[in-house]
Amino acid sequence: MAVAPEITTEGIYVGGTWRPARSGETFTDFDPATRQPLAEVARGTAEDVDEAVAAARAAFGPWSRRSPSERGDLLRRWAALIREHAEELAALESQDVGKPLSAGRLNLMIATGNLEYGAGLADKVMGATLPSRSPEHTGFTWREPWGVCAAVLAWNVPAIMFCSGVAPALAVGNTIVVKPSEMAPLVTLAIARLADEAGMPPGVLNVVPGLGPEAGTALTGHPGVDHVSFVGSAATGRAVMKAAAENLVPVRLELGGKSPNVVFADADLDRAIPIIVDSICENAGQNCYAGSRLLVEAPIYDEVLQRVAEHMATLRLGPWDADLDMGPLINQAQYDRVLGYVEGAKSEGARPVTDAGAAEEAGPGWFVKPTLFDDVDASMRIAREEVFGPVLAAQRFSGLREALDLVDAVDYGLLVSVWTNDLSRALQMARDVRSGQVSINEFANSAILGLPFNVAKRSGFQHGGGYSVINELTHEKAVTIQLDPR
Ligand code: NAD
C-alpha cells in the first residue's frame, strides 16, 4: 500500500496547520514485514515542540470556555469520520506495526469506541458541595482542566493510544501536544488529519512526530506543559518522570508488564488454552499486558504445556495483508532483543517446548516463532523481564498461596488472568494480587465500556481511561464563601 507523502513529510500539525519539520529533516519508517522503507516522516525537534506548546497555550482559554457539549460534539464528529475511514486506517496501522489486518480492524474499532467514550466525559466533570461546621460558611469544589497536556506514546497499538489519550484530555477542556512513536506514526497522523476535517480549532490538538531523544525529551521537559502522560518502557518512563520533576508537573506513566495467566487444576482448558496462546501471540507479543507468564497448578501442568505448545504450533505467520495469526516484530532492534532473550533463556537452563527462534519461512520481515519455555526458574530473565515478543515462560505452583507468591515475584503489576471455576478462589486471587487489572476466565476484556486501564507496581501509576480519568486530567479547586450573617 502506498502511503500519501503529504501525511508523512508534512506530518507536523501545529496551530491547525500541517507542515514539514522546521529543520526540513525526516526519519524513515520501515515496513516490518519487508524490512523496507515505508515512509519518510517529518522529524520534529525542539523548535517544532516550542511552537506546538505555544499554539496549545493560545488555544487553551477559548477551548476550556467552550460549552462541554460543544467539545463532546466535536469529538463525536471526529469519531464518525474515523468510522467512515476505518478500513484504510486499519490497513495503515496493520502495515506500519506489522499486525494482521483483522487485528488492525479490531484496534480501530476499540480506538473509535474509546474516543466516543472520552467525548461523553465532556459534560460529566463535577465538583462537590462540602459539609460545613458553621451555618455562616459554605464551600464547594470545581474541577478544572490543567491547561496544556503533553502525551508521548508507544507504537504497538497507536490508534488506541492516541484516541484514548487525546479524547478525555480535550473533552474536559485541556489542549494537547502529542508525540507519536517514530516506530509506527502513520495511523496517528492520518487520524489527526480527520480531527482537522471534523473542525478541530487551531492549536487544540497538535501532533509532532519525531525521535525520542529529540522531540520526546523536548516535549516532556518543556516548561510550558502542565501535565505529562507517557506510554512506553519503564526505562524511558524513569527519564520522563525526571523531566516532569524539573518542571514540577504531574505525570501519568503507563509502562510495561509481565502478566501471568494463572491456571488452577479445575479450569476449563478448552476455553483457556486458545486465549492463553492469543494473550502472548497477539501483536507478536508486543503488548504491555501480554500474557508472558504461564503459571499452572501442578496436577495439570504437563497437560497444559502440551496443549499450549500444540496450539502455538498451529499459528500461521505472515505479512499484515495475508491476515494470518501473527505478524513480525516491529524492527531490527526488537528482533535482536527477542532472539537474545530466547538464547539467554536456553543458556540459563530453560527448555524450549516449541521450535524456537527466527521464522525465516514466514517472509523477509522480522518474524520470530511463538515460543514456550519449560523449566523456568523465578530468577531467570524470561521469568522477570518484559521481552515484548511471543515468548512464554511456564512455571508450576501448588495451591493459592504459592500462586500469589509467583504472581508477585516480578516488579510489574499490570494484568493478572485467573482461570478457575471456584468462585471463592477467583475472588481471593483478584483481591490479593498487586495488579492494576484482573481478568477471571478471560484475558484483557475489550467488551466492557469505560474499563479503566489501570496499572500497579512498576507498571506505572495514575488513572488510565474509564470514568476516573476525569480526576487525572483535571485539578480540583476549593472555593469557600462566608455568608452574610444578617
Ligand atoms: P519507549 O519507551 O522506547 O518509547 C515510548 C515513546 O517515548 C516513544 O514515542 C519514544 O520516541 C519516546 N521516547 C524515547 N526516549 C525518550 C526520552 N528520553 N524522553 C521522552 N520520550 C522518549 O517504548 P516503546 O518501545 O515505544 O514501547 C514499548 C513499551 O511500551 C513496552 O514496555 C510496553 O509495555 C509499553 N506500553 C505500555 C502500555 C500501557 O498502557 N501500560 C501500552 C503500550 C505499550
Side-chain angles (χ1 to χ4, degrees):
M1 189 174 119
V3 182
E6 68 274 12
I7 75 163
T8 59
T9 50
E10 291 178 20
I12 310 272
Y13 180 50
V14 168
T17 305
W18 289 91
R19 59 165 178 79
R22 286 289 177 224
S23 67
E25 303 264 309
T26 57
F27 64 88
T28 307
D29 176 32
F30 288 88
D31 182 337
T34 62
R35 307 192 191 200
Q36 296 303 309
L38 178 59
E40 285 299 315
V41 182
R43 179 172 167 172
T45 58
E47 202 183 345
D48 302 288
V49 168
D50 275 344
E51 286 182 26
V53 172
R57 174 65 57 203
F60 172 64
W63 176 250
S64 61
R65 287 192 293 272
R66 276 209 188 184
S67 91
S69 2
E70 263 184 77
R71 291 198 300 262
D73 286 348
L74 171 58
L75 292 169
R76 275 183 284 270
R77 277 203 299 283
W78 184 16
L81 284 174
I82 297 174
R83 282 197 194 284
E84 243 175 67
H85 294 273
E87 192 59 20
E88 316 149 44
L89 295 169
L92 208 51
E93 164 146 349
S94 299
Q95 184 173 19
D96 206 8
V97 180
K99 59 184 71 173
L101 181 59
S102 40
R105 287 186 180 127
L106 177 65
N107 283 195
L108 257 294
M109 202 182 83
I110 297 171
T112 320
N114 290 357
L115 178 44
E116 285 161 345
Y117 185 89
L121 298 178
D123 54 9
K124 294 170 190 67
V125 182
M126 285 175 278
T129 49
L130 305 171
S132 171
R133 235 181 240 116
S134 146
E136 287 164 20
H137 296 270
T138 189
F140 60 89
T141 63
W142 275 320
R143 293 214 74 98
E144 298 179 340
W146 287 107
V148 176
C149 291
V152 173
L153 304 176
W155 49 266
N156 55 329
V157 283
I160 294 179
M161 275 183 291
F162 183 53
C163 292
S164 316
V166 166
L170 298 191
V172 303
N174 297 290
T175 55
I176 196 163
V177 181
V178 179
K179 193 203 86 63
S181 168
E182 58 273 44
M183 304 302 165
L186 302 185
V187 75
T188 304
L189 300 179
I191 291 177
R193 292 249 167 195
L194 296 176
D196 208 10
E197 205 177 313
M200 189 67 70
V204 170
L205 167 68
N206 305 274
V207 182
V208 183
L211 309 186
E214 297 177 358
T217 48
L219 181 56
T220 52
H222 201 290
V225 161
D226 301 304
H227 180 279
V228 175
S229 56
F230 171 75
V231 186
S233 63
T236 313
R238 219 165 261 129
V240 168
M241 201 166 160
K242 281 184 190 152
E246 280 302 315
N247 292 319
L248 295 175
V249 291
V251 56
R252 177 174 81 203
L253 299 180
E254 297 184 28
L255 310 175
K258 194 72 192 169
S259 299
N261 275 286
V262 186
V263 190
F264 284 92
D266 67 335
D268 177 346
L269 295 185
D270 290 342
R271 274 182 55 205
I273 301 291
I275 296 176
I276 289 169
V277 172
D278 189 55
S279 77
I280 184 62
C281 294
E282 193 219 332
N283 219 4
Q286 302 167 113
N287 285 328
C288 54
Y289 54 77
S292 54
R293 292 191 292 154
L294 176 59
L295 311 182
V296 189
E297 204 165 20
I300 55 162
Y301 183 81
D302 292 337
E303 181 191 354
V304 169
L305 257 66
Q306 188 193 335
R307 290 180 65 176
V308 166
E310 281 168 9
H311 196 87
M312 273 184 166
T314 66
L315 298 187
R316 297 154 310 156
L317 276 60
W320 69 281
D321 49 352
D323 201 18
L324 303 177
D325 303 307
M326 215 180 94
L329 299 176
I330 187 75
N331 59 18
Q332 185 71 43
Q334 186 62 12
Y335 181 75
D336 293 341
R337 192 180 121 89
V338 172
L339 292 177
Y341 269 104
V342 170
E343 288 313 308
K346 287 186 202 162
S347 62
E348 280 188 287
R351 183 175 62 85
V353 183
T354 52
D355 193 13
E360 275 142 22
E361 64 286 359
W366 291 294
F367 290 97
V368 170
K369 289 176 183 147
T371 304
L372 170 64
F373 275 105
D374 191 4
D375 298 335
V376 174
D377 184 81
S379 65
M380 291 180 186
R381 290 182 65 199
I382 46 158
R384 293 180 291 114
E385 296 176 15
E386 184 182 49
V387 176
F388 226 52
V391 179
L392 180 57
Q395 289 170 273
R396 191 190 308 255
F397 69 85
S398 298
L400 182 80
R401 187 67 258 160
E402 228 175 271
L404 282 167
D405 288 344
L406 271 182
V407 168
D408 208 25
V410 299
D411 288 340
Y412 294 112
L414 207 159
L415 172 74
V416 175
S417 173
V418 184
W419 296 90
T420 177
N421 282 315
D422 180 335
L423 179 64
S424 164
R425 189 161 45 190
L427 290 179
Q428 275 173 284
M429 283 292 292
R431 184 193 62 196
D432 293 342
V433 289
R434 292 172 66 207
S435 175
Q437 302 166 48
V438 178
S439 300
I440 298 171
N441 293 329
E442 61 178 3
F443 191 93
N445 189 312
S446 59
I448 304 289
L449 293 168
L451 183 74
F453 199 84
N454 288 338
V455 286
K457 296 171 73 180
R458 300 297 180 267
S459 292
F461 43 78
Q462 301 302 346
H463 306 285
Y467 179 79
S468 53
V469 79
I470 289 178
N471 293 342
E472 169 67 28
L473 293 167
T474 56
H475 66 94
E476 194 176 53
K477 182 183 278 174
V479 182
T480 61
I481 309 167
Q482 172 147 35
L483 304 172
D484 188 340
R486 283 169 299 171

